[in-house]
């Protein structure tokens, strides 16, 4: 009889633990009205139940995912020539992601191709017709539309619109930045999010010289803002979470989360290195990422709850992404540490997080992280967010 390797046994035990934790969260979601979520959460639950069906192949989960997705299609969308909010763009991105992954899995379509084609055109025009798409308050819409169009690839019309978008992608910092109080640098809605859109477009086959130019420029701006850490002085972060609009001086925080912080910037640098073939970026990414492993308490991370965007679940997912990008076992270990922290913090109230309107925020985001740790049989849902 052959003996199983200790690493295999440990991995199986970790998945079993993650599965039990996910089942607890899944029960909580189901009892909270997941079958009839409010309109603001339709996209979250449609994506979530699609992933649950992919993981366990239960007909009831597929039926619920399809019904929620059809409700999402039928929700009110902006009229022609009406402005789009970033929230509405996120809902459209969920439709694009669901359509692509359902088609790849041989599942019935829930959205007519003509409907998606109309969304492609409407969203592109919503950005094209902005008086100044580079202005700070409008740039988040540009990023959201870029992400939506990338999710629609390889559709030819979406590819045309995305090429047109990146060809005129504005420089960073935005023009008129002095009118904004500060410029975010994070993964949720800042410079890192913007550069990820461009990097993922390049990876998907969009080849416009403006992509590399804007990525290099953005990284140079970001790298100029880094500082040395000094744990004794309470300086835990290498990168600031935002920059003053008037001077571009960095403003630092101890927060380590999905929305901002060094773990997300480390992942960005790994992704950029893969495309720019700059080994120095990989070295910086590794140093920054490994430095975050020393930060585990509240003072060094500001992690006080289990939520996705600002809590332990998002940190666990970031270390999962860092492990996939680098192959360093230390990041895998860190991901499991933060999964444990997520579980410990789930006793804290999550009502405020559940009300969060960001895509896959609140309890659904936590459940997705736990599901990812329990099984590999789900599609890459993080591509919805970066």
């Amino acid at each position: 009889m052959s003996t199983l390797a200790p690493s295999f046994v440990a991995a199986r035990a970790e998945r079993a633990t993650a599965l039990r934790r996910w089942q607890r969260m899944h029960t909580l979601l189901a009892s909270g009205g997941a079958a009839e979520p409010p309109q603001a959460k339709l996209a979250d639950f449609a994506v979530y139940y699609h992933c649950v069906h992919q993981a366990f192949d239960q007909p009831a989960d597929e039926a619920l995912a399809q019904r929620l997705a059809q409700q999402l299609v039928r929700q009110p969308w902006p009229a022609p020539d009406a402005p789009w909010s970033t929230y509405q763009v996120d809902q459209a991105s969920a439709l694009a992601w669901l359509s692509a992954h359902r088609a790849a899995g041989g599942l019935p379509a829930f959205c007519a191709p003509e409907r998606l084609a109309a969304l492609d055109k409407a969203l592109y025009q919503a950005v094209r017709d902005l008086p100044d798409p580079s202005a700070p308050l409008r740039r988040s819409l540009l990023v959201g539309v870029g992400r939506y169009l990338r999710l629609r690839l390889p559709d030819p019309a979406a590819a045309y619109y995305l090429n047109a978008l990146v060809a005129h992608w504005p420089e960073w910092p935005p023009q008129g930045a002095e009118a904004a109080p500060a410029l975010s640098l994070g993964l949720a809605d800042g410079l890192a999010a913007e550069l990820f859109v461009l990097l993922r477009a390049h990876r998907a086959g969009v080849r416009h010289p403006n992509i590399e130019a804007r990525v290099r420029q953005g990284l140079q701006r970001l790298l100029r803002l880094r500082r040395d850490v000094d744990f004794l002085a309470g300086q835990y972060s290498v990168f600031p979470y935002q920059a003053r609009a008037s001077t571009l001086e960095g403003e630092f925080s101890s927060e380590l989360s999905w929305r901002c912080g060094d773990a997300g910037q480390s992942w960005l640098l790994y992704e950029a290195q893969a495309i720019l073939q700059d080994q120095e970026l990989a070295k910086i990414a590794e140093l920054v990422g490994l430095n975050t492993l020393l930060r585990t308490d509240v003072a060094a991370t500001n992690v006080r709850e289990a939520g996705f965007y600002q809590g332990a679940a998002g940190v666990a997912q970031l270390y999962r992404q860092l492990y996939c990008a680098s192959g360093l076992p230390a990041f895998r270990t860190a991901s499991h540490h933060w999964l444990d922290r997520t579980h410990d913090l789930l006793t804290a109230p999550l009502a405020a997080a559940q009300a969060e309107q960001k895509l896959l925020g609140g309890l659904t985001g936590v459940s997705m992280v736990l599901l990812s740790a329990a099984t590999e049989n789900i599609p890459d849902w993080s591509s919805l967010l970066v």
Side-chain angles (χ1 to χ4, degrees), residues 80-382:
D81 301 323
W84 284 70
S85 68
T86 53
Y87 161 76
Q88 290 167 324
V89 176
D90 283 347
Q91 306 306 291
S93 293
L95 282 181
W97 185 92
L98 282 164
S99 295
H101 284 281
R102 289 181 65 82
L107 296 170
F110 63 88
C111 185
E114 296 80 9
R115 180 60 183 140
L116 289 170
L119 284 175
D120 297 345
K121 183 177 180 180
L123 283 165
Y124 172 69
Q125 289 179 337
V127 174
R128 185 198 63 185
D129 295 340
L130 287 174
D132 183 6
S134 71
L137 296 179
R138 295 169 181 153
R139 198 137 182 162
S140 59
L141 185 65
L142 173 70
V143 171
V145 172
R147 185 180 298 128
Y148 165 84
L149 291 172
R150 187 259 302 165
L151 290 167
R152 287 279 292 128
L153 296 179
D155 180 86
Y160 170 82
Y161 291 134
L162 185 55
N163 271 280
L165 203 64
V166 301
H168 297 94
W169 201 276
E171 295 184 357
W172 194 94
Q175 298 174 13
E178 63 278 358
L183 302 172
S184 174
L185 302 173
L187 193 61
D189 58 1
L191 176 60
E194 183 170 327
L195 297 183
F196 255 108
V197 167
L198 295 172
L199 289 167
R200 292 289 174 92
H202 185 279
R203 179 187 288 181
V206 179
R207 293 292 185 270
H208 193 284
N210 202 35
I211 292 181
E212 185 172 330
R214 293 292 170 259
V215 169
R216 288 190 183 278
Q217 181 208 38
L219 290 175
Q220 288 168 0
R221 293 281 190 177
L222 181 65
L223 291 171
R224 285 179 200 155
L225 294 171
R226 59 182 166 163
R227 68 173 182 184
D228 294 330
V229 298
D230 184 345
F231 279 32
L232 292 178
Q235 296 179 187
Y236 303 106
S237 299
V238 175
F239 291 105
Y241 73 101
Q242 65 181 20
R244 296 174 191 168
S246 56
T247 63
L248 292 185
E249 293 180 82
E251 296 183 349
F252 291 82
S253 163
S254 64
E255 183 174 330
L256 188 66
S257 68
W258 179 273
R259 71 172 187 173
C260 69
D262 284 355
Q265 303 295 8
S266 175
W267 182 26
L268 169 67
L269 292 170
Y270 273 121
E271 292 284 326
Q273 184 276 330
I275 288 175
L276 300 179
Q277 296 298 302
D278 185 340
Q279 289 302 313
E280 187 63 25
L281 292 177
K283 293 177 183 177
I284 298 171
E286 183 172 317
L287 288 172
V288 173
L290 292 177
N291 177 74
T292 65
L293 301 182
L294 304 174
R295 300 165 56 186
T296 56
D297 61 16
V298 172
T301 62
N302 201 31
V303 174
R304 303 173 186 275
E305 47 102 355
F308 183 79
Y309 275 92
Q310 203 174 354
V315 179
Q317 184 64 23
L318 274 174
Y319 282 124
R320 179 182 175 88
Q321 303 292 165
L322 282 172
Y323 173 64
C324 292
S326 69
L328 293 176
F331 291 134
R332 184 175 182 274
T333 300
S335 182
H336 286 290
H337 167 81
W338 284 99
L339 286 169
D340 291 341
R341 286 285 296 278
T342 301
H343 177 258
D344 293 341
L345 289 167
L346 281 174
T347 55
L350 275 172
Q354 179 61 359
E356 186 175 23
Q357 285 206 354
K358 280 185 175 292
L359 195 60
L360 296 179
L363 296 181
T364 45
V366 175
S367 290
M368 291 293 282
V369 172
L370 294 176
L371 182 60
S372 297
T375 177
E376 295 181 349
N377 299 329
I378 62 172
D380 179 18
W381 54 272
S382 68

